[in-house]
Amino acid sequence: RLRLGVWATSSNSWISSSLPRGLQDWDAGPTERKNAKKRMDCFKRYDDEFLTQIDSISCSMGLDLASIRDTVSAWISIEDQNGIVWTRGWFWLPEAEARKQAKQINYLLWAEQDFIKLTPGRSIDYPILTCDLAEIIRTFHVNEFYYDPHQAEHITQELESCTEAERVEFPQQIIHYGPVVQELERRIIAQRIRHNGNAVMNWQMGNAVVITNTNGFKQLVKNKKGGIKKVDGPQALLMSLQTVAS
């Protein structure tokens, strides 16, 4: 089912099974918000200048680097003095891949709307990505960034060297994801987290499926190789919440 310009959650997805109102608890859409008498989701319109002015307790980034022809995402989480977490995300994708998938996914439209950056060619342009990430770290005074050591060793070394932000490994194991998944679920339900409405992220939140262990810990299941339902944004957001959840 199409909603908010993206495919909504399926019945067995993480969001619909974990949140009382499913994806609407994250982003109810402009019509629902306009007719509501009180806050009903986590959306709030703000820009980068607003984020730089927050009197913050911490600012951390999560970085999800996939294959060279896949989407890449980075998210920052800024906790203010009132305990609200303000988030901001970025996506990158090779332009050739966006055009290849144009009939299935709205990457070209989302690029026009500045929700995702398309890099030239058929694979991610790592010099462009590294430059963009370094600028994000400097602009928002990111203290540490979390990454999957299996995929991002070289680029994170370079980022740590040129920005002095601390890089921290985030192994892709359920014992590490459990606390941050719980943190995000609690904050969405309590409306203690904010996002500024990235259409790519809304789509990916709906794609997310989790596995659960006997302790109730959850971990997002990454899309099978070649699949189109990506979850890079939610993965990066969860990693960025590690400092808040600690």
Side-chain angles (χ1 to χ4, degrees), residues 83 147 164 174 201 225:
Y147 70 100
E164 298 184 357
I174 199 166
M201 184 61 160
K225 186 176 181 180

Side-chain angles (χ1 to χ4, degrees), residues 114-135:
D114 292 328
F115 292 131
I116 188 169
K117 181 173 183 176
L118 303 181
T119 62
R122 301 177 62 183
S123 60
I124 284 290
D125 189 314
Y126 277 93
I128 289 177
L129 178 61
T130 303
C131 182
D132 288 349
L133 290 171
E135 182 64 22

